[in-house]
Amino acid sequence: MPHTKRRRLVTTAVAVSLGATALAACGSSDDSKADSGPVSLTYWAWAPGMDKVVDLWNKGEGKKDQITVTVKKQASGDTLVTKILTAHKAKNGPDLVQAEYQALPTLVSNNAVADISKSVGDAKSKFADGVWQQVTLGTDAVYAVPQDIGPMMFYYRADLFKKYGLKVPTTWDEFARTARALKKKAPDVDLTTFSANDSGLFAGLAQQAGAKWWTTSGDKWKVAINDAATQKVAKFWGGLVKEGAIDNQPMYTPAWNKALDTGKQIAWVSAVWAPGTLTTAAPDTKGKWAMAPLPQWSADQDVTGSWGGSSTAVTTDSRHQEAAAKFAAWLNTNGDALNALAKESGIYPASSSAQLSGAFSNPPEYFSNQADFYTEAAKIAGTTAPSAWGPNVNVAYTTFNDAFGAAAKNKSDFVTALNTMQDATVADMKKQGFEVSQ
């Protein structure tokens, strides 16, 4: 892969290549690295209990194929991205790495992960199209196997919706009307809050609306964080905050927990992993919540965004890429492995078939009142919209927290905050040597 530009990610200097063509060419699998005989692989991952899941492989398929995998526990997020790029620069990276979807473009453009399409291409049928797209980056290459996903959903207090005579909104217009109607009936109660301390939520909402924040054309990146779809989302939430129809406080705080637990907030736009958060945040309301699909921008649509999720990638430093790819496919498509991942690591699998079996045959304990929780979740997951991540998601997310945090607090213009996010992201890419068109 040619290295035409240089940039710095977080704190590590690394060489990069730009554009869709370059992305497709990066990290192609090298058959010469598929050595014969016993193989030992190292897997950098942060998911809890991953070593127990890998033990199943080592005692079963791995033993038969003479492929042993050792898990090395890592931190997640930017910390792991920096570490993997540092290791790659020194040519001593692991064989496999657990990579968040939004980190893949950075790893690919730095030639840190391999194209494993020749080894796992048939795994595509196991995943929804929108999920599989996140590991191909819109090319013919396959840079990882999807592991877990976070399809977005609407959570609400069923008992309080009944008390206040509210209907579950199926469109965002209905959502806004519901928020206003609740305020008239109970001025001290909010339908929900707009939170600026988790940029993944806003990114998922923009994704549902059709946003494509980063795309490539030739050797150039196009950044469109303030595109029409995202402006629509920003105006919608900014308008509700400005008129006081919803709260403007951040999530995950003691005040937010109390609001959920006492019925001061009666809904939450979240993802499939929400039951775990609610168990801690609102323990006194167990069994009182229900889940429904995310409201749509038009009644004839059926699409959701994604908030979170990761994949298993094979590195270009691995001397055993074919063996590593075989393990990555097993880990994320084998029924026993997926059940173990659900039990030991608490993941919601990206594999469509696994979403209706094993650990997901019964609802979460917190939602024991909704027997079809995971049946509905699987349907929603199948409508996941494609994503479009870029090489400096961390900068975009940090700017979101600052700009939207101030806008939410001051009830000022959200589109202005969005433009700030766009400008900061473009400026960072140009500073680091990327060719950018807007």
Side-chain angles (χ1 to χ4, degrees):
M1 181 182 76
H3 301 294
T4 59
K5 298 288 178 181
R6 286 189 177 270
R7 64 154 296 183
R8 186 174 297 273
L9 175 76
V10 192
T11 58
T12 305
V14 288
V16 304
S17 182
L18 305 177
T21 302
L23 282 175
C26 286
S28 58
S29 184
D30 184 352
D31 291 339
S32 67
K33 294 186 178 184
D35 297 352
S36 59
V39 171
S40 295
L41 305 174
T42 301
Y43 179 26
W44 284 6
W46 72 82
M50 186 63 75
D51 54 337
K52 296 180 181 178
V53 183
V54 171
D55 278 346
L56 295 178
W57 165 267
N58 289 334
K59 294 175 181 177
E61 291 290 320
K63 185 176 181 180
K64 181 178 68 176
D65 296 335
Q66 292 186 298
I67 302 171
T68 301
V69 179
T70 301
V71 176
K72 298 290 186 181
K73 190 70 178 290
Q74 305 292 325
S76 60
D78 287 346
T79 301
L80 180 56
V81 173
T82 300
K83 188 172 182 179
I84 196 71
L85 293 179
T86 301
H88 172 62
K89 188 180 179 185
K91 299 182 179 180
N92 64 353
D95 297 280
L96 300 117
V97 62
Q98 183 179 2
E100 292 178 285
Y101 296 117
Q102 66 265 28
L104 278 176
T106 298
L107 297 175
V108 170
S109 63
N110 286 291
N111 198 28
V113 295
D115 172 10
I116 53 176
S117 55
K118 293 181 180 179
S119 301
V120 301
D122 57 349
K124 178 180 179 180
S125 63
K126 303 288 186 179
F127 307 95
D129 290 343
V131 173
W132 186 251
Q133 181 268 345
Q134 296 204 79
V135 298
T136 67
L137 309 185
T139 72
D140 292 330
V142 177
Y143 295 110
V145 181
Q147 185 164 103
D148 61 303
I149 54 173
M152 296 179 68
M153 303 160 184
F154 180 67
Y155 294 86
Y156 64 99
R157 282 282 300 274
D159 58 331
L160 296 182
F161 261 58
K162 182 177 181 180
K163 174 183 176 180
Y164 296 123
L166 305 175
K167 292 184 179 180
V168 178
T170 59
T171 66
W172 288 114
D173 283 343
E174 290 179 1
F175 179 95
R177 290 196 294 269
T178 300
R180 297 180 185 118
L182 175 62
K183 270 297 176 186
K184 289 183 179 180
K185 295 179 179 181
D188 294 334
V189 178
D190 291 293
L191 179 63
T192 192
T193 188
F194 177 85
S195 174
N197 67 345
D198 195 324
S199 43
L201 170 57
F202 184 77
L205 291 170
Q207 180 185 341
Q208 185 212 20
K212 289 181 173 57
W213 286 358
W214 287 271
T215 54
T216 56
S217 178
D219 286 338
K220 291 186 177 182
W221 284 92
K222 180 179 180 180
V223 183
I225 291 174
N226 62 347
D227 64 4
T230 311
Q231 286 194 37
K232 177 171 64 175
V233 175
K235 289 176 181 177
F236 176 82
W237 288 95
L240 292 177
V241 168
K242 187 173 183 178
E243 69 179 84
I246 61 173
D247 199 3
N248 60 344
Q249 301 302 311
M251 301 178 292
Y252 315 130
T253 65
W256 180 73
N257 291 348
K258 184 177 180 181
L260 293 178
D261 208 25
T262 60
K264 294 297 184 181
Q265 282 186 28
I266 66 171
W268 183 28
V269 175
S270 189
V272 70
W273 42 258
T277 301
L278 289 171
T279 299
T280 302
D284 294 338
T285 60
K286 176 183 176 181
K288 297 180 180 180
W289 290 78
M291 178 270 286
L294 208 61
Q296 302 293 310
W297 285 105
S298 63
D300 60 345
Q301 288 183 317
D302 186 14
V303 62
T304 194
S306 184
W307 184 3
S310 63
S311 63
T312 308
V314 175
T315 73
T316 52
D317 291 323
S318 176
R319 294 178 57 251
H320 311 284
Q321 291 180 14
E322 186 176 343
K326 185 172 185 178
F327 166 76
W330 172 88
L331 180 65
N332 299 303
T333 62
N334 178 272
D336 291 337
L338 290 166
N339 283 335
L341 280 171
K343 178 183 177 182
E344 303 294 346
S345 305
I347 74 155
Y348 183 73
S351 169
S352 300
S353 61
Q355 295 163 6
L356 292 172
S357 62
F360 304 98
S361 56
N362 295 311
E365 185 180 355
Y366 192 89
F367 281 79
S368 58
N369 57 304
Q370 189 172 357
D372 66 347
F373 182 96
Y374 282 124
T375 302
E376 290 302 305
K379 293 178 183 177
I380 294 169
T383 69
T384 301
S387 64
W389 301 114
N392 63 339
V393 173
N394 58 324
V395 172
Y397 274 16
T398 298
T399 307
F400 169 85
N401 292 346
D402 294 338
F404 276 83
K409 181 179 180 180
N410 301 327
K411 298 186 177 181
S412 58
D413 184 41
F414 276 26
V415 174
T416 299
L418 185 64
N419 290 335
T420 299
M421 188 177 169
Q422 165 81 8
D423 293 343
T425 304
V426 170
D428 174 75
M429 291 184 70
K430 289 181 176 179
K431 180 181 179 181
Q432 307 307 334
F434 287 103
E435 295 287 344
V436 181
S437 64
Q438 296 188 63

